[in-house]
Amino acid sequence: MKSYNHIIFDLDGTISDPGLGITNSIMYALKKFGMESERDNLYKFIGPPLRETFRNHFGFSRENAELAVKYYREYFSKKGIYENVLYPDMKELLQKLHSAGKRLYIATSKPLEYTLIILEHFEIRSNFTFISGSNMDGSMSEKSELIGRIAPIIGIEFFDKTIMVGDRVYDIEGAKHHKIDSAAVLYGYGDFLELKEAEPVYLIKSIEELSSFLLG
């Protein structure tokens, strides 16, 4: 396998498991519209932009999707943001990569404001060279745009030593847009078939395997 000096990470489902907080926040928002959903049906919405989820999967108009995001954030900003845990051994892996001289980045469709709070909460922010998150109004939420912010910092001449690590098809597609390699992790929220069909360069089964791959 190749050695990578620049590693771009997704956040949700890759570095941390936000399942409880995100699903609680979605259920809180849906309840405001008199709707209910089983938690197990909501995990697939971890990763895509929120407005897209409310419009495409729950049939909300643009106006109601904006309102749903507002309700979502009522819960998420106070409780849901902390109903989140780092994956086992992830903190140690990030520290080892940083100590080894790897340059680490984050590209997440989660708003930058929340992303920074989460990274500070887990005491891992200092490991990252640059953090690319979306805007609160929903703009800059496409993975290709988020990686695009990071690309000039890395430099196109180093793209052959750059990899995107994520758990959803959007991460793989964003990497392909910029012609950089990708690793799909199977311990997150992406479906195996979804990820396999996206054709990442690597499929990683566990954090242990990811650690061996990135540090090797």
Side-chain angles (χ1 to χ4, degrees):
M1 293 187 193
K2 287 171 61 176
S3 176
Y4 295 95
N5 297 326
H6 298 271
I7 305 165
I8 306 171
F9 286 93
D10 174 45
L11 178 60
D12 292 342
T14 302
I15 288 176
S16 73
D17 182 353
L20 184 61
I22 288 179
T23 54
N24 278 344
S25 300
I26 294 175
M27 288 191 289
Y28 176 89
L30 291 176
K31 199 167 185 178
K32 293 286 189 178
F33 290 90
M35 300 170 63
E36 294 186 0
S37 178
E38 294 292 329
R39 189 184 304 276
D40 287 348
N41 295 329
L42 299 177
Y43 289 119
K44 60 187 174 184
F45 302 130
I46 296 174
L50 263 182
R51 289 167 178 81
E52 177 184 309
T53 292
F54 285 119
R55 289 200 307 266
N56 296 346
H57 298 282
F58 294 105
F60 284 19
S61 64
R62 287 189 175 274
E63 183 180 59
N64 281 344
E66 288 297 325
L67 189 55
V69 169
K70 177 185 175 184
Y71 291 141
Y72 174 100
R73 288 175 176 167
E74 281 182 7
Y75 184 94
F76 187 81
S77 62
K78 295 176 182 177
K79 295 182 180 180
I81 195 169
Y82 300 111
E83 295 174 326
N84 187 1
V85 294
L86 281 180
Y87 283 112
D89 301 321
M90 181 55 68
K91 188 171 186 177
E92 292 77 11
L93 171 57
L94 296 174
Q95 290 172 341
K96 287 178 181 178
L97 290 169
H98 180 69
S99 297
K102 309 286 187 180
R103 298 191 73 184
L104 311 182
Y105 313 82
I106 282 182
T108 174
S109 60
K110 185 181 292 299
L112 180 61
E113 179 179 326
Y114 294 149
T115 300
L116 295 177
I117 291 172
I118 290 167
L119 297 180
E120 291 286 1
H121 174 67
F122 289 132
E123 299 179 339
I124 57 174
R125 182 178 177 179
S126 61
N127 294 304
F128 295 95
T129 298
F130 187 80
I131 298 154
S132 182
S134 69
N135 300 324
M136 292 294 276
D137 65 2
S139 60
M140 287 299 295
S141 61
E142 295 293 327
K143 196 63 65 157
S144 59
E145 296 176 312
L146 295 162
I147 296 173
R149 275 183 178 158
I150 300 170
I153 299 170
I154 296 173
I156 193 168
E157 67 271 26
F158 298 112
F159 276 15
D160 65 329
K161 292 291 185 178
T162 301
I163 191 166
M164 173 76 211
V165 180
D167 71 315
R168 298 299 306 271
V169 62
Y170 313 98
D171 302 306
I172 312 310
E173 291 174 346
K176 285 183 176 179
H177 179 86
H178 291 280
K179 296 181 173 59
I180 63 175
D181 287 352
S182 59
V185 296
L186 299 176
Y187 58 79
Y189 286 94
D191 177 82
F192 173 76
L193 290 178
E194 164 197 329
L195 292 171
K196 186 176 180 181
E197 288 175 1
E199 298 182 332
V201 179
Y202 307 98
L203 276 170
I204 306 292
K205 296 177 182 178
S206 65
I207 295 171
E208 182 180 11
E209 185 178 333
L210 179 66
S211 181
S212 297
F213 168 59
L214 294 176
L215 288 167

